Amino acid sequence: MNSPWMTDFLTDPLSFWRTAATTGRALIASHTPLLATATATGVATLVARPLLARRRAKVFARGARCVSIQAPPQVSDHGGELLWAQLSGLLRPWWHRLASGQPHIAFEYAWTHQGLNISLWTPSQVPIALARQAVEAAWPGAHTTVTDAAQPVPAGHTVTAGRLRLARPEVATLRTGHHVDPLRALLQAAAGLNDGERVIVQVLARPATGRRRRRVRRAARTLKTGHHHRFTPLRGMAAWAAHRPQPALEARQDADHHTAVRQAADKLTGPLWATSLTYAASTPPSNSAREAVRGRAHAIASAFGLFAARNWLVRTRLPHPHQRLTRRHFPHRAALLSVTELAALAHLPTDPDAPGLTRAAARSIPPPPSIPPPSSAARPLGHSDAGPRRAIALPTHAARHHLHLMGATGSGKSTLITHLALDDARHRRGLIVVDPKGDLVTELLERLPEDCADRLVLIDPADHRPPPCLNVLEGDDSDMVVDNIAGIFRRIFAAFWGPRTDDLMRASCLTLLRHHHTTGQSVSLADIPRLLAEPAYRLRITPGVNDPLLRGFWTGYDALSEPAKTAVSGPLMNKLRAFLLRDFTRRAIAHGPSTYRLDDVLNGGILLARLPKGTLGEETARLLGSFLVARTWQAATARAHQPEHARVDASLYLDECHNFLNLPYPVEEMLAEARGYRLSLNLAHQHLAQLPTDLREAISTNARNKIFFTASPEDARALERHTQPSLAAHDLAHLARHQAAARLLTDHTDTTSAFTLTTNPAPPPTPGRAHHLRQSANRPPTTETASSPTTRETLT
């Protein structure tokens, strides 16, 4: 009250204001250049800042790309934190920021009626490889694909958009601890879109600069010193109540204050991100479009209420949504969030049944360096689908440990077998293919080299010429021949094959073989019905049998009455008649002496057996294929008299292998011994349920090279023991077409880790090649012999 200006004001107010105005004009006149400069600078700054921001936004949007993310089957709860912690290294030095700005990235959720797509938008200034590696490291098993940045909202759509900002100062934290995935509410709010409707949520983020960090640190220090009235303002009755002596309330406020200080300190311990969250809903124009998108946008914004704690998100209007959403425009004032807060807003859904989310397909694993390229000593398999593209092959010496091929129909098995078989033919390895469908042999005939005609044996019921004959009742070892025939029939007709039928088959085959060895006359399976049904023929064959057990068997058989003989031989006769009444089958295995030798085929020849079940019948096809496998094994074991280095590598390919491995001896023994005879078995089938338990375990243990195409979830869980830890069951069940998981043997002792490959397309067919090979195949004509005059009439 004693100051001079106050005394003047009280005594003469009018004079006081006149003096003050005069003094002000004098001050302004004396500082006019300085004020003008300051005003011009302020105006220029206000005008230049948005212009510079728009220019930089255009530069960032030019050439931007999107990393589309497919979630793995199991998403880690902390994957988002790992992602944003890795990407914190994108912060540029201050001179780069001053020259060209700080690029930002956008984590985007985009919904259509087809489902949810999650992507990471990156400007051209951010290395795309860095973004992909960060995503795949944060969520192991996730798949990333790079595409050009698309327009989030189509032009002409009715759009309602908004931006979410922090309601309180940045030092206050959002809620980050959730018992369930906080995105669950967001996913549900965006579910059930109609055709043409779209919803997008963009989380724009860039690393915080030092100035922003210092500002929030000052706010944290102010909060720590107790001046928290700036942080939690109280007004009106609340302020009056706060000053009343209430010990319990003060204690509670102190506890809340300490919690807030601790949370603010935790927020400032790691990297900080300037973050802007934008959302939009759009639909094609219609009378009710505005109400529809407003309701959808309201539901999207409300879903972020789960993050409310000491701080929360409030909605603001987003002007010009099409332009801002397309350019991913980063606002000048963006919220400052910690890595944990940002990860809570932008991460992959952790719910295994998240609606509309597309899960990742199989992981692509590069092959080990020890896998060789194709050569004369390595069979081509395809090329790598991860890492540098290179050709992949299976060494010939490793192929002797056999190959297990499994995959659903149409996944690529036949294409791979085609490449392997063609490579064997080109390098003059022995080649035998047994095909129960027929398409595989047809594809091979269209692609085999022309010089294969002189060493080709073709078994095809569609060919009207006489087929080549392989008499299964031939061989130096009578006991092995009989065991093979009886064992094959017993396995194929297991439900209708008893001990009496087995005894009758063995006695008949042994009798015919003893007659052949004694007289030199050719015998075949077609002679068994005559031996059992015609007394005159039996009387001509049995006197030459010197074995007392066989002689006693036929003496007892002749002593039976005709009805008893019919009852005893009926179960065997009906199976033989069903097999031999087919003209093609009878000519192929029971029409006189053999017209080709499987020993020659294994030494560089080619045998293609086309045995379609639709033409021959399932049981007949299985019998023919099983006889071929059994005779192939006999020819392979005959190599024991040759030095190992003189044995030519040969391959036996069995498509639908479970139909033809009906042998009287354990398959695991054949697989274990075939390697020494340089016979590699390539066993292909569709699913594990096709294999009996003993066969499944034998192939799992002894076929050491594994190539799996896409499998069912049940089979994938059983097969993952061969591919872990590189590939899990989800990967095996989600392989793409012509993509396979492989685990190969590269030398005689070590098996590589599992990897993925893509098979090459089949080579183009040569016009007219199949017809030429059919006509030129090495199939000498067969003639009827005196010892095998069986006809359809005598069989019936």
Side-chain angles (χ1 to χ4, degrees):
M1 289 291 182
N2 296 326
S3 60
W5 64 269
M6 183 60 68
T7 303
D8 294 341
F9 175 75
L10 293 175
T11 56
D12 190 0
L14 181 59
S15 177
F16 172 82
W17 287 117
R18 287 175 179 174
T19 303
T22 303
T23 304
R25 283 196 298 269
L27 288 173
I28 293 174
S30 62
H31 296 83
T32 298
L34 181 60
L35 292 175
T37 303
T39 303
T41 302
V43 172
T45 302
L46 292 176
V47 174
R49 174 174 287 181
L51 292 177
L52 182 61
R54 282 197 293 269
R55 180 181 177 276
R56 287 176 174 174
K58 290 181 181 179
V59 172
F60 292 152
R62 189 181 304 122
R65 291 156 295 177
C66 281
V67 179
S68 182
I69 306 172
Q70 289 184 330
Q74 294 181 349
V75 178
S76 171
D77 293 336
H78 303 288
E81 297 180 21
L82 293 175
L83 173 68
W84 297 110
Q86 292 180 77
L87 294 179
S88 298
L90 296 177
L91 180 63
R92 290 178 166 186
W94 66 269
W95 57 86
H96 281 183
R97 298 198 303 270
L98 184 63
S100 56
Q102 171 64 46
H104 61 277
I105 55 180
F107 196 91
E108 299 184 353
Y109 306 94
W111 286 268
T112 64
H113 68 283
Q114 297 176 343
L116 168 63
N117 179 48
I118 301 177
S119 60
L120 188 68
W121 178 89
T122 59
S124 58
Q125 291 79 4
V126 176
I128 196 67
L130 184 149
R132 297 186 65 178
Q133 292 170 2
V135 170
E136 294 173 359
W139 293 289
H143 275 196
T144 59
T145 55
V146 179
T147 60
D148 293 333
Q151 188 173 3
V153 178
H157 271 212
T158 302
V159 183
T160 294
R163 179 171 286 148
L164 297 173
R165 63 174 180 83
L166 291 180
R168 306 176 79 176
E170 297 166 338
V171 71
T173 57
L174 294 173
R175 182 184 178 190
T176 57
H178 297 85
H179 297 294
V180 297
D181 188 2
L183 292 182
R184 181 179 297 180
L186 180 63
L187 296 175
Q188 193 62 40
L193 295 180
N194 298 321
D195 189 8
E197 292 184 346
R198 294 194 180 188
V199 169
I200 185 167
V201 175
Q202 295 177 343
V203 183
L204 311 178
R206 67 184 182 193
T209 60
R211 184 179 61 178
R212 295 291 306 275
R213 294 175 62 90
R214 287 191 296 270
R215 183 182 302 166
V216 75
R217 286 182 186 277
R218 285 196 298 268
R221 284 196 297 269
T222 302
L223 176 65
K224 184 177 181 181
T225 57
H227 299 291
H228 53 279
H229 59 276
R230 299 183 183 178
F231 174 59
T232 56
L234 298 174
R235 298 177 181 177
M237 293 299 295
W240 173 79
H243 290 84
R244 295 184 63 189
Q246 298 178 359
L249 179 59
E250 291 179 0
R252 190 160 54 250
Q253 288 178 346
D254 289 340
D256 291 344
H257 173 65
H258 292 316
T259 302
V261 171
R262 185 179 64 255
Q263 291 176 350
D266 293 340
K267 179 173 183 175
L268 297 174
T269 53
L272 297 178
W273 286 82
T275 308
S276 175
L277 199 154
T278 306
Y279 65 94
S282 71
T283 187
S286 65
N287 294 332
S288 59
R290 179 62 60 184
E291 290 75 12
V293 295
R294 289 180 65 181
R296 182 72 69 174
H298 178 74
I300 295 296
S302 299
F304 288 94
L306 292 176
F307 299 95
R310 297 188 179 275
N311 213 336
W312 61 91
L313 298 169
V314 295
R315 286 178 280 175
T316 59
R317 182 174 172 272
L318 182 67
H320 311 295
H322 285 90
Q323 180 180 1
R324 292 177 180 270
L325 291 171
T326 301
R327 293 182 179 177
R328 279 78 176 179
H329 182 267
F330 197 85
H332 174 62
R333 299 295 299 175
L336 209 62
L337 301 181
S338 66
V339 166
T340 305
E341 291 175 308
L342 179 56
L345 294 171
H347 64 270
L348 295 184
T350 58
D351 284 348
D353 55 349
L357 180 63
T358 302
R359 295 289 177 180
R363 284 178 289 179
S364 296
I365 306 295
S370 57
I371 299 295
S375 65
S376 60
R379 307 174 184 183
L381 298 177
H383 62 271
S384 60
D385 56 3
R389 180 186 173 99
R390 67 182 184 94
I392 297 171
L394 175 64
T396 302
H397 63 80
R400 297 170 193 159
H401 291 265
H402 317 301
L403 174 62
H404 180 202
L405 282 164
M406 201 191 89
T409 302
S411 58
K413 297 192 306 296
S414 297
T415 302
L416 179 57
I417 294 175
T418 299
H419 280 285
L420 294 172
L422 291 176
D423 187 74
D424 289 332
R426 281 192 295 267
H427 292 93
R428 291 189 170 269
R429 307 184 192 105
L431 173 61
I432 301 175
V433 178
V434 182
D435 178 18
K437 299 175 183 176
D439 295 337
L440 176 59
V441 167
T442 302
E443 291 180 2
L444 286 172
L445 288 174
E446 295 173 344
R447 294 166 173 83
L448 281 172
E450 190 173 0
D451 59 0
C452 293
D454 60 342
R455 50 195 177 100
L456 173 63
V457 178
L458 178 63
I459 301 175
D460 187 0
D463 194 341
H464 299 292
R465 295 183 303 170
C469 180
L470 179 67
N471 191 342
V472 297
L473 205 59
E474 287 182 350
D476 298 331
D477 190 340
S478 300
D479 294 332
M480 177 178 283
V481 171
V482 173
D483 285 344
N484 285 338
I485 295 174
I488 289 170
F489 272 91
R490 183 179 66 252
R491 281 182 172 263
I492 293 178
F493 300 102
F496 312 100
W497 193 268
R500 181 179 296 180
T501 304
D502 190 80
D503 189 31
L504 189 60
M505 170 65 89
R506 289 179 179 275
S508 301
C509 291
L510 278 174
T511 300
L512 292 173
L513 283 171
R514 299 289 170 83
H515 176 73
H516 167 69
H517 292 155
T518 303
T519 64
Q521 296 180 352
S522 178
V523 293
S524 68
L525 286 181
D527 295 319
I528 295 179
R530 298 187 63 203
L531 181 65
L532 297 177
E534 298 179 13
Y537 184 75
R538 186 166 60 253
L539 185 61
R540 196 175 75 211
I541 298 296
T542 53
V545 177
N546 298 323
D547 192 316
L549 290 177
L550 280 178
R551 185 180 294 276
F553 176 85
W554 291 114
T555 301
Y557 184 81
D558 287 333
L560 297 174
S561 63
E562 288 301 321
K565 289 179 182 177
T566 302
V568 170
S569 63
L572 177 60
M573 291 287 281
N574 63 21
K575 297 171 181 59
L576 285 172
R577 286 196 184 100
F579 182 64
L580 296 172
L581 281 175
R582 297 179 182 271
D583 183 68
F584 171 81
T585 306
R586 188 173 68 253
R587 288 175 175 270
I589 66 168
H591 198 69
S594 300
T595 59
Y596 63 95
R597 291 170 49 86
L598 282 171
D599 309 67
D600 299 332
V601 174
L602 294 181
N603 290 325
I606 300 173
L607 171 60
L608 302 182
R610 184 175 179 272
L611 309 176
K613 297 179 182 179
T615 303
L616 298 175
E618 183 174 357
E619 292 178 348
T620 301
R622 293 177 66 188
L623 279 168
L624 279 175
S626 300
F627 284 138
L628 285 173
V629 173
R631 292 302 299 271
T632 299
W633 179 238
Q634 285 182 250
T637 55
R639 289 181 162 191
H641 304 292
Q642 299 177 358
E644 186 173 355
H645 67 274
R647 301 167 189 168
V648 179
D649 279 288
S651 299
L652 171 61
Y653 296 91
L654 299 179
D655 195 9
E656 305 297 334
C657 63
H658 54 282
N659 291 312
F660 310 119
L661 294 176
N662 302 295
L663 305 177
Y665 33 80
V667 176
E668 57 267 23
E669 293 184 7
M670 183 178 70
L671 292 171
E673 297 175 12
R675 179 179 61 86
Y677 302 127
R678 295 200 173 181
L679 173 65
S680 62
L681 277 71
N682 303 270
L683 309 176
H685 63 104
Q686 296 179 16
H687 53 86
L688 291 177
Q690 294 172 317
L691 306 180
T693 303
D694 56 344
L695 180 58
R696 183 188 310 175
E697 293 300 325
I699 293 176
S700 176
T701 304
N702 295 287
R704 299 184 63 184
N705 297 292
K706 313 285 185 182
I707 297 182
F708 303 136
F709 292 86
T710 183
S712 66
E714 294 78 14
D715 288 346
R717 284 192 289 270
L719 295 174
E720 68 174 348
R721 57 179 176 165
H722 296 293
T723 59
Q724 285 182 332
S726 301
L727 297 168
H730 174 83
D731 301 304
L732 299 179
H734 292 81
L735 293 164
R737 191 167 184 262
H738 298 294
Q739 184 188 24
R743 188 167 188 176
L744 306 179
L745 195 71
T746 54
D747 54 34
H748 298 289
T749 57
D750 294 334
T751 302
T752 66
S753 57
F755 63 95
T756 56
L757 61 91
T758 300
T759 58
N760 297 320
T766 302
R769 179 63 53 81
H771 177 73
H772 170 71
L773 291 177
R774 288 179 184 274
Q775 298 297 323
S776 306
N778 185 18
R779 296 185 298 171
T782 58
T783 57
E784 296 283 343
T785 61
S787 62
S788 181
T790 306
T791 62
R792 190 177 300 270
E793 289 77 12
T794 58
L795 285 171
T796 56

